[in-house]
Amino acid sequence: MRRNLTKPERLGKLSDIKRTFASGKRYSIPGAKLVFIANNLGFSRFMVTLVKGYGNSIQRNRAKRIAREVYRLNKHRITPGFDIVVVFFPNQDQFTSRERQMIKLFRRAGLYPIKGEQRNQHEATG
């Protein structure tokens, strides 16, 4: 299985993004939010965004780059077939802390099975 984040796996169409935010399920933890909805594709599409006022351009680009890398390294464990948006608030932009946040969000949403557990097939309305 390919582990890199390919162009089709990126959520970029405005209509898809609006649909995700309008009808998607939401989960949050301190410093991050997750919004997702079923996409009827055989793979998931991912997008990371930051709240308004999130530092300067260097900090914003680093935060997004770290989040995309965390997703890329863990996407083979995430249940496929969803449009996923992660929203970050200003926080520590260290790889390990962002990885812990994202995995916690994915587990809370049922998209990232706990070790030894079978994949949870989510039924998202949309």
Side-chain angles (χ1 to χ4, degrees):
M1 168 170 220
R2 290 180 63 143
R3 285 199 169 178
N4 59 337
L5 195 57
T6 61
K7 190 168 183 172
E9 292 175 320
R10 296 176 190 195
L11 184 62
K13 239 174 127 176
L14 186 60
S15 60
D16 293 334
I17 295 167
K18 284 184 177 183
R19 181 179 63 89
T20 302
F21 276 105
S23 305
K25 291 187 178 184
R26 300 167 187 268
Y27 293 90
S28 64
I29 60 171
K33 286 185 181 181
L34 172 73
V35 183
F36 71 100
I37 192 168
N39 64 11
N40 299 321
L41 300 171
F43 57 92
S44 290
R45 297 184 294 183
F46 178 77
M47 183 184 121
V48 62
T49 188
L50 309 169
V51 295
K52 194 172 187 177
Y54 190 108
N56 61 26
S57 63
I58 295 168
Q59 293 166 326
R60 289 190 303 270
N61 290 332
R62 183 175 183 345
K64 289 190 279 188
R65 193 169 52 248
I66 288 171
R68 283 192 299 263
E69 182 67 6
V70 168
Y71 178 78
R72 186 188 72 81
L73 292 173
N74 291 284
K75 73 179 183 177
H76 65 282
R77 295 184 181 123
I78 297 170
T79 306
F82 294 94
D83 287 341
I84 301 168
V85 178
V86 177
V87 181
F88 284 121
F89 296 88
N91 200 346
Q92 295 178 352
D93 287 328
Q94 303 301 321
F95 184 87
T96 53
S97 62
R98 288 297 187 195
E99 184 175 36
R100 271 188 257 118
Q101 276 185 325
M102 288 177 67
I103 289 173
K104 189 173 183 179
L105 278 171
F106 291 139
R107 281 193 175 142
R108 188 170 285 179
L111 298 175
Y112 193 102
I114 297 171
K115 204 173 193 178
E117 207 178 87
Q118 287 188 354
R119 288 187 179 251
N120 182 8
Q121 294 300 324
H122 237 312
E123 290 185 22
T125 58

